[in-house]
Each structure stands twice: as structure tokens, then as C-alpha cells.
Amino acid sequence: MNHIIKNLPEEQRPYEKCFKQGENTLSDSELLAVILRSGTQGKNSLALAQEILHFMEDSAYCGLAGLIHVSLQDLMRIHGIGQVKAVQLKCIGELSRRIARTAARPQLVMNDPSSIAAYYMEQLRHEEQELVLCMMSDVKGHFLGDKVLTRGTVTGSLVTPREIYLEALRYHAVSLILIHNHPSGDPTPSQEDMEITARIYQAGELLGIHLLDHIVIGDQRYCSFRETGLWDECTG
């Protein structure tokens, strides 16, 4: 491969291809090459981008999604990736998460578990530890905000009703939804998930702050207690 992008035929240069044919025509490596802007000695930005993607595959990460998982230190192990380029790549991964969440916000409805799962999917499905958060709403069902309550290990996380309802009181919420992820990718609730749901529901009823649902996020999948028979089993 030519060491300088300018030595490539014009139709193979990522910048020119994007300008003339549109960004959707670029391959993953071409998109990365545009972000990187320059390569390193003996390697142009396109070759460097391809090396990054190969590194993701060798590290058990999947293509561009690996940018969310891989650390700055791991990226800097690639020849030609220094601190600046590593930071650029990590910011691209974080930007993709935020774009996905912002795009899902207008469709967010507190009584629609699928819209809630879509809103949190990109934030939670790539997490390697279990996060527990609650989203809160007012008397009219308007979304007031959310709060990460705890970050656990890959095997579980602990949260108490006290922590949850202190946050709900700060937001002046009248109802809330509990959300957490399963790093395994399988959103099937565990027995522990069911037990904590029952405890949080019961505590909320005493306080007059109602737990509306518990949604478990997996990898492109979710499980809503409300949409299954688990809700009645936990709160009946």
C-alpha cells in the first residue's frame, strides 16, 4: 500500500470519496482514516485504521464497537497511535453513545418499556460491570431525570431501597423505574433481581413513591418486569 494517501487514486482517498459520494459510502477503515488524519512513518492513515480494526478483532472486540471497550493504554500499544490519536478514538466511541441516546430521547415514554430500553441501550449494553440506575417522573409522567446508583462487578451489584428513594425525594418524583444491565448480554432477570424489585416496590408503597417497572438491559435485548409475569410475582 502507498505510504502517502495523496499517492492513492483519487477515488480511493477517504476525504475525496466522502466529499463526492457521501460519508455512507466509506468503509469502517476509511471512516477511521478520516478521523486519524495522518498515519505514521511508512504507514498512511488508511493502513493505520486497518491495523486498529485488526487489533480490535485480536482483542475479542467487535469492529468499531471496540472503541467503546478498549482502553487508552491498549490503543497506545498500536504502533503509530500516541496519546492524541488514542484520545480522538475514545472520544469518537463516547460521541456515538451520546448521539444514540439523544436520538432516542424524543421517543422516550415512561409507560413504554421499549422506548426506555432504546434510550439506555447504547449507554448500558457495552458496560463490562453491572450498573444500577433509576429514572424518575412527576405526577403527569414526565421524565425528571435519572441517577446512577451503583456500579458493581461483572457478577452483580448491590443497591438498597434507601439509596433509591433518597434520590427520588431529591427530584420530587412520584414514581420511578429501576434499570440495570447484565454484562453477559442476557437480560433474563436473576433471583436476586426479583428479590430487590420486591423490596424496592414495598418500600415505595410506604412512601407514596411508586415503582413502575424494572427493566434489565442486555446486548440489543431487554426484559421488562411489567411486560412479563415477573411483575405480579414480585409485587403481588
Side-chain angles (χ1 to χ4, degrees):
M1 180 176 287
N2 291 314
H3 295 330
I4 303 174
I5 286 288
K6 289 183 179 179
N7 290 337
L8 293 172
E10 187 171 312
E11 66 274 10
Q12 294 180 24
R13 301 176 199 166
Y15 282 94
E16 286 80 355
K17 184 177 177 181
C18 178
F19 185 76
K20 290 186 176 181
Q21 301 178 40
E23 67 278 4
N24 60 313
T25 67
L26 299 185
S27 66
D28 288 353
S29 57
E30 288 171 333
L31 285 169
L32 279 180
V34 171
I35 300 301
L36 293 169
R37 298 185 61 189
S38 63
T40 187
Q41 186 174 6
K43 188 186 306 178
N44 64 31
S45 59
L46 195 53
L48 182 56
Q50 290 168 346
E51 187 169 332
I52 292 168
L53 291 175
H54 289 319
F55 175 81
M56 298 298 179
E57 293 171 2
D58 293 341
S59 303
Y61 300 117
C62 183
L64 293 175
L67 293 175
I68 295 172
H69 293 282
V70 72
S71 69
L72 282 167
Q73 290 70 29
D74 285 338
L75 284 169
M76 291 169 64
R77 287 167 46 200
I78 302 171
H79 179 65
I81 300 295
Q83 183 174 319
V84 172
K85 281 186 169 60
V87 167
Q88 288 174 326
L89 292 169
K90 287 300 294 179
C91 286
I92 288 298
E94 179 59 25
L95 186 62
S96 70
R97 283 204 217 211
R98 298 190 189 189
I99 289 172
R101 188 171 184 182
T102 301
R105 177 66 185 265
Q107 284 74 47
L108 182 60
V109 180
M110 292 296 287
N111 61 2
D112 179 4
S114 65
S115 75
I116 294 169
Y119 183 66
Y120 289 102
M121 185 62 69
E122 286 306 307
Q123 176 186 354
L124 295 179
R125 76 184 185 94
H126 298 295
E127 287 286 344
E128 296 176 10
Q129 290 185 319
E130 192 167 301
L131 269 67
V132 177
L133 59 85
C134 64
M135 60 185 305
M136 289 150 286
S137 60
D138 63 17
V139 69
K140 294 184 177 180
H142 297 146
F143 178 47
L144 295 174
D146 57 27
K147 175 72 174 181
V148 175
L149 299 167
T150 183
R151 181 185 294 268
T153 66
V154 293
T155 56
S157 184
L158 296 176
V159 64
T160 65
R162 180 178 182 275
E163 295 173 78
I164 292 171
Y165 289 108
L166 280 175
E167 287 300 328
L169 289 168
R170 288 191 184 102
Y171 277 81
H172 303 288
V174 300
S175 59
L176 58 86
I177 294 174
L178 192 66
I179 300 159
H180 82 279
N181 65 304
H182 280 177
S184 67
D186 179 1
T188 303
S190 66
Q191 184 61 37
E192 183 184 37
D193 295 337
M194 296 177 66
E195 290 170 0
I196 191 64
T197 301
R199 290 202 301 273
I200 293 169
Y201 173 82
Q202 290 162 7
E205 292 303 294
L206 292 173
L207 292 169
I209 303 174
H210 307 292
L211 178 65
L212 301 180
D213 200 353
H214 184 174
I215 298 173
V216 185
I217 303 290
D219 189 0
Q220 299 289 19
R221 296 181 290 160
Y222 76 93
C223 177
S224 159
F225 278 51
R226 276 281 186 187
E227 290 182 335
T228 67
L230 294 174
W231 187 253
D232 291 337
E233 189 174 337
C234 291
T235 63

